[in-house]
Amino acid sequence: MLKNVSEAGATAEGSANTLIATMKAFKLEASDSEHVVDALNEVSNKYAISVNDLSTAIRKSSASMAAGNNSLEQTFGLVAAGTEILREPGRVANGLSTITARLTKKNDEYIASITGGMGTIDKNTGELRSTYDILQDLSKAWDNLTSVEKQELAETVAGKTQRSLFTAIMTNFNSAVGATEAALNSEGSAAEENAKRMDSLQGKVQQLESAWQNFSRNTVNSDFIKNILSTLTSLIKLVDKVGGLSTVLATATAALMLFKGGLIID
């Protein structure tokens, strides 16, 4: 179904790779695959990011984002927020992996000084907080920082190469929140989209192609076609023995002329 709700150029192999990588990273069951597709479709419908771009970014970042204690839906949110601004899903995926790797205990006190609250470590559990939760706290403080403080924060959290992504997420965190909620409440989205597409002209063509492929696959394996092919093979061998196709055609033409001549004489 993921291929059906994706844009032109999507392949069955690419769709399968996205689902496999995502489900393994977030330790999802096979029954959760429909939710992944629903989330992809719903976020794409509501935010300025295509299913293809969203799939690319999720596939490339899922392992590091899961390791950073982010949920699948939070990952959708951060990917959407970054890609809406930068328009480069691969770059967003790499950037999120970098940011997640830099939000460690080393920067706990510094982050806490910016947010006025929690840093990178959850004081109750002693575990690292999710990338999403940390960035959400930072986004609330962002507008109150000076340009110097913003630059220092961006370089601390994202490094020099990913500052633009960090800044994009800070200024567009409303999309991160909205896309996360859209992913959480996406049940049935892909099925509805798929039904609409199947009812369209393109969908009818896809159904015809699928039906033809099934017919070809099933029929070629049947005894009926095997018998036809066997008969044709025997016929070709016979034609070859009597001198080839040209000889057969010449003989047939002569016989037809004689037959017609007999009718005229009668």
Side-chain angles (χ1 to χ4, degrees):
M1 187 181 293
L2 176 54
K3 181 178 181 296
N4 287 350
V5 300
S6 299
E7 295 78 20
T11 65
E13 181 181 3
S15 299
N17 287 339
T18 295
L19 286 175
I20 292 170
T22 303
M23 293 174 68
K24 282 190 173 182
F26 290 99
K27 295 180 173 57
L28 302 177
E29 301 294 332
S31 58
D32 296 318
S33 61
E34 187 173 341
H35 172 60
V36 177
V37 180
D38 282 337
L40 282 164
N41 186 68
E42 189 70 5
V43 173
S44 174
N45 285 345
K46 292 188 174 182
Y47 293 87
I49 179 172
S50 68
V51 171
N52 290 352
D53 285 351
L54 193 54
S55 296
T56 296
I58 293 295
R59 183 174 65 251
K60 291 184 175 182
S61 65
S62 58
S64 58
M65 295 304 287
N69 294 326
N70 300 280
S71 68
L72 171 65
E73 294 79 12
Q74 289 174 334
T75 303
F76 275 116
L78 293 177
V79 164
T83 306
E84 276 194 326
I85 303 297
L86 298 184
R87 315 307 302 164
E88 297 180 63
R91 180 182 173 190
V92 169
N94 292 335
L96 285 173
S97 296
T98 297
I99 290 171
T100 299
R102 294 174 70 92
L103 290 174
T104 62
K105 184 177 181 179
K106 176 182 177 181
N107 293 319
D108 179 54
E109 292 185 5
Y110 172 69
I111 297 298
S113 70
I114 298 294
T115 64
M118 295 183 72
T120 59
I121 305 298
D122 186 322
K123 306 305 180 186
N124 295 321
T125 65
E127 296 291 329
L128 282 171
R129 300 174 66 211
S130 70
T131 312
Y132 180 94
D133 287 341
I134 297 170
L135 293 183
Q136 184 172 38
D137 287 348
L138 290 174
S139 71
K140 294 175 181 178
W142 182 256
D143 288 338
N144 297 322
L145 300 178
T146 67
S147 59
V148 173
E149 289 172 330
K150 287 179 178 178
Q151 182 175 1
E152 181 183 7
L153 175 61
E155 287 198 12
T156 299
V157 173
K160 292 183 178 180
T161 60
Q162 302 296 345
R163 285 181 302 180
S164 58
L165 171 62
F166 177 77
T167 301
I169 292 175
M170 288 295 98
T171 59
N172 195 36
F173 208 86
N174 284 339
S175 284
V177 174
T180 300
E181 292 176 353
L184 283 167
N185 302 306
S186 60
E187 183 178 357
S189 177
E192 182 179 351
E193 183 86 9
N194 186 57
K196 291 178 181 177
R197 178 163 295 195
M198 287 297 99
D199 195 46
S200 67
L201 176 59
Q202 180 182 3
K204 297 301 182 183
V205 171
Q206 288 178 344
Q207 290 179 50
L208 177 60
E209 290 176 346
S210 177
W212 172 251
Q213 289 172 357
N214 289 334
F215 171 78
S216 300
R217 182 168 51 251
N218 295 333
T219 304
V220 167
N221 291 329
S222 71
D223 291 336
F224 176 71
I225 290 298
K226 289 178 181 178
N227 290 334
I228 290 178
L229 292 176
S230 179
T231 302
L232 287 174
T233 301
S234 298
L235 181 60
I236 291 171
K237 288 180 179 180
L238 176 62
V239 169
D240 186 54
K241 284 182 179 180
V242 298
L245 184 59
S246 58
T247 302
V248 173
L249 290 176
T251 303
T253 301
L256 180 60
M257 291 178 66
L258 288 173
F259 177 72
K260 285 185 175 181
L263 290 177
I264 292 173
I265 291 172
D266 291 341

